[in-house]
Amino acid sequence: MESVVTEMRKIEEAAGYLKKRGIPETGSGVILGSGLGDFISRLDPGRQEVPFGEIPHFPASSVIGHAGKLVWGRLAGAPLAVLAGRVHLYEGRRMAEVAFPTRVLHRLGVRRLIVTNAAGGINRSFRPGDLMLISDHINLLGGNPLTGPNLDDFGPRFPDMSEAYSRRLRHLARSAAAAMGLLLREGVYLATAGPSYETPAEIEMFRRMGADAVGMSTVPEVIAANHAGMEVLGVSCITNMAAGVLPCKLVHEEVLATTARVQQDFCRLLADTIGLLCRKE
Ligand code: HPA
C-alpha cells in the first residue's frame, strides 16, 4: 500500500504534466465507458489529447473498445476534460489505481464528473439500447478505493455517500432527455468485479437486492469523486439484458454493437446536459 506522500506525489506529477501539456483549469470532466468513445467528436475542433501511456503514473487500459487517452477542449463554450477509456479491477488493477485518473481530474479543477458505462439490464422493463440515469449504486466489487491511509487533501476518512449521484445533475439530464424526446430510464447500478459475466442465480439475487443494472466499473471512480466532494452524474448504456433474463449467451461483441447503435443519442444526451449545466453557471 502506498504512503499518503507517495500517492499524493504521483497525483501531483500527473496533473503537473498535463498542465505543462497545456490543459486549462477545467470544471467538468467525463469518463467514457466501453464503446462510448465517439463523444470526443462533440468537443471543438481545436481539442487536444494525450495518450494515457504518456501521463506519469496513469494506468492504461487493455480492453477493446477503450481508447485510452485524455482529451480536452471546449463544449457549449466551457472547457471539458474527457477520459476516453478507463481501467478496471479485472485487469488486475488495484482500487486506488482505478481511482487515480479521477483524482488527477480533481487536481485539474474538475468538480462535476460525468461517469458512463455499458451495463447489463436486470430490470425486466429495460431493453438493450436504453440509457439509464444512475440514481444510486451497490458496491459488490469486494473493495473500496479509499482503503488505506486517508488522503486528507481530498476529503474525510468517512465520506458521506447518501447522494452519491447528484440530484441537481440528474434533474438536468432528465430535462435534456425530455427536450430530445428520449426515454431515459433511472435505476440502481450494481458493480461486480468480473471479468466473467454473472450467472442467472446471481442476477436473480441482484434483482432482489434492488439493482436495475449490472456492470464491472464506475463505482471506484464515483467513491473517489464523492470523497473529493465532486458532484457526480452517472449514465449507463444498457447494452444487453443480464444473464438469465433472455435465453441467450452474453458476449462482449453485443456490448460494442449496442453502444455503436445508441452512440448518437448517448452523445447528444451528454452534450445537452453539459450545455444546460454551463447555462446554469
Ligand atoms: N454484466 C456485467 N457487465 C456488463 C454487462 C453485463 O451483463 N453488460 C455490459 N457490461
Side-chain angles (χ1 to χ4, degrees), residues 118-129:
I122 296 179
N123 187 319
R124 288 196 177 91
S125 72
F126 290 0
R127 295 286 169 267

Side-chain angles (χ1 to χ4, degrees), residues 109-125:
V110 171
R111 295 297 179 267
R112 290 160 304 270
L113 183 66
I114 303 180
V115 288
T116 67
N117 57 51
I122 296 179
N123 187 319
R124 288 196 177 91
S125 72

